[in-house]
Amino acid sequence: MHLNLSDTNPSKLLQTLQTAFMNKDKNVTLDLLGPGLILNDTALMLYEEIRNRPSCTKVHIHSRTCLFDGAILLWLAGDTRTIRSDAWIQVSEIPDVPIRPQRPKSRRLAEYSNAIPIIDEYPAETDLRTVIKYLGEWLPVDEIAGLRLFESELRDLGLIHDAESEKNLTFLFKGQAHPVVK
């Protein structure tokens, strides 16, 4: 199934995912197409949809495009993933923590300790923070922010696995040499 990230209509993107997960297929392959840039709020919505799919459904996500920020989340949400051989991912620089003016402590603020006053941060920055928090589950975000990671780095991070590499590792751990076939 194709998920065209150039479609700016979040409801169409959501419908594509819902259709993919409504089928009784045990294995779903999603191809990410288009420019790999998507509004972070839309990415968070789609990420949640992928993560909350039926537990019996295994998802492989192949990116046919380079990915930025929230679009990376969609790719990472799969059980397995691949990326076009010359494509890359990039996480934006982490925004500075807004400096909040000292406000008198109130009972209302204590109850909402994670809330961000609207004057301190734009909604897009709040969404980017959330994306970066989730990306941190897979990636060393502090180390890679502002860098472009290609397929070899993504393999080194354990994000991409292919059947041949897995087979070679199995043979190596069994103490047998297995020639790599290309």
Side-chain angles (χ1 to χ4, degrees):
M1 176 147 302
H2 297 285
L3 190 62
N4 188 349
L5 301 180
S6 67
D7 191 338
T8 58
N9 184 338
S11 64
K12 281 185 179 178
L13 294 168
L14 180 62
Q15 182 64 42
T16 300
L17 287 179
Q18 290 173 333
T19 300
F21 299 143
M22 282 189 338
N23 295 332
K24 299 300 180 196
D25 294 334
K26 299 284 187 220
N27 297 303
V28 173
T29 298
L30 289 175
D31 280 336
L32 301 180
L33 304 170
L37 188 59
I38 187 171
L39 287 175
N40 287 322
D41 183 59
T42 301
L44 290 166
M45 174 189 65
L46 299 174
Y47 172 75
E48 182 176 81
E49 188 68 24
I50 296 169
R51 297 294 284 190
N52 291 327
R53 68 186 179 270
S55 60
C56 62
T57 303
K58 300 299 176 210
V59 176
H60 175 80
I61 300 181
H62 177 69
S63 180
R64 296 182 181 274
T65 186
C66 301
L67 301 171
F68 294 89
D69 297 335
I72 300 168
L73 270 184
L74 303 180
W75 182 68
L76 290 171
D79 298 303
T80 57
R81 61 201 68 79
T82 51
I83 193 167
R84 191 183 76 215
S85 64
D86 61 347
W88 42 266
I89 68 167
Q90 180 179 330
V91 177
S92 292
E93 293 287 339
I94 301 168
D96 292 330
V97 175
I99 299 171
R100 295 187 181 96
Q102 291 295 325
R103 295 191 170 105
K105 299 281 182 186
S106 72
R107 195 169 63 97
R108 179 176 170 248
L109 286 178
E111 292 173 8
Y112 302 103
S113 61
N114 289 330
I116 298 171
I118 60 173
I119 60 170
D120 289 346
E121 187 171 75
Y122 291 108
E125 291 172 337
T126 304
D127 292 340
L128 179 58
R129 273 183 205 294
T130 305
V131 164
I132 288 173
K133 179 182 85 172
Y134 290 141
L135 289 175
E137 295 175 18
W138 287 278
L139 297 165
V141 176
D142 290 335
E143 296 173 28
I144 66 162
L147 301 175
R148 291 187 176 157
L149 302 180
F150 289 84
E151 187 179 30
S152 62
E153 289 92 4
L154 298 172
R155 278 188 200 289
D156 290 346
L157 289 168
L159 298 175
I160 297 176
H161 302 282
D162 60 61
E164 191 60 38
S165 295
E166 296 293 323
K167 193 185 314 180
N168 287 337
L169 284 175
T170 302
F171 279 99
L172 286 173
F173 284 114
K174 287 183 178 179
Q176 301 172 349
H178 178 67
V180 176
V181 179
K182 289 190 180 194

